[in-house]
Amino acid sequence: MGAMSFWHWALVILVVVLLFGRGKISDLMGDVAKGIKSFKKGMADDDEPATATSEPKPIEQQPAVKTEAEKAKS
């Protein structure tokens, strides 16, 4: 009842790939990377010293995420 062996991990990875497919996993990881980059950019923007004369920055519009049905129509 110790740690999981190589065969346990191989089976878990195989099941995950079969359920989600390689495409969805890579899309998910790409979205996670974009989120991390946005978070870091936001944190860097907050580190800049604010002055009384500086104007507020406008909020950047992000394109809407298409659902699977909308992707199929395109």
Side-chain angles (χ1 to χ4, degrees), residues 2-27:
M4 296 178 74
S5 71
F6 168 75
W7 294 110
H8 289 115
W9 285 112
L11 183 63
V12 169
I13 291 171
L14 178 68
V15 169
V16 168
V17 169
L18 288 175
L19 287 176
F20 297 109
R22 285 181 48 220
K24 288 185 181 179
I25 293 174
S26 64
D27 290 344

Side-chain angles (χ1 to χ4, degrees), residues 5-70:
S5 71
F6 168 75
W7 294 110
H8 289 115
W9 285 112
L11 183 63
V12 169
I13 291 171
L14 178 68
V15 169
V16 168
V17 169
L18 288 175
L19 287 176
F20 297 109
R22 285 181 48 220
K24 288 185 181 179
I25 293 174
S26 64
D27 290 344
L28 177 66
M29 295 309 292
D31 292 340
V32 169
K34 288 179 187 176
I36 291 171
K37 287 180 184 178
S38 297
F39 178 76
K40 286 182 177 181
K41 181 180 177 186
M43 293 302 290
D45 289 345
D46 289 343
D47 289 342
E48 295 175 2
T51 60
T53 58
S54 67
E55 295 185 23
K57 296 180 182 178
I59 298 174
E60 297 177 11
Q61 294 288 331
Q62 298 291 331
V65 177
K66 290 185 178 181
T67 62
E68 293 295 325
E70 291 173 341

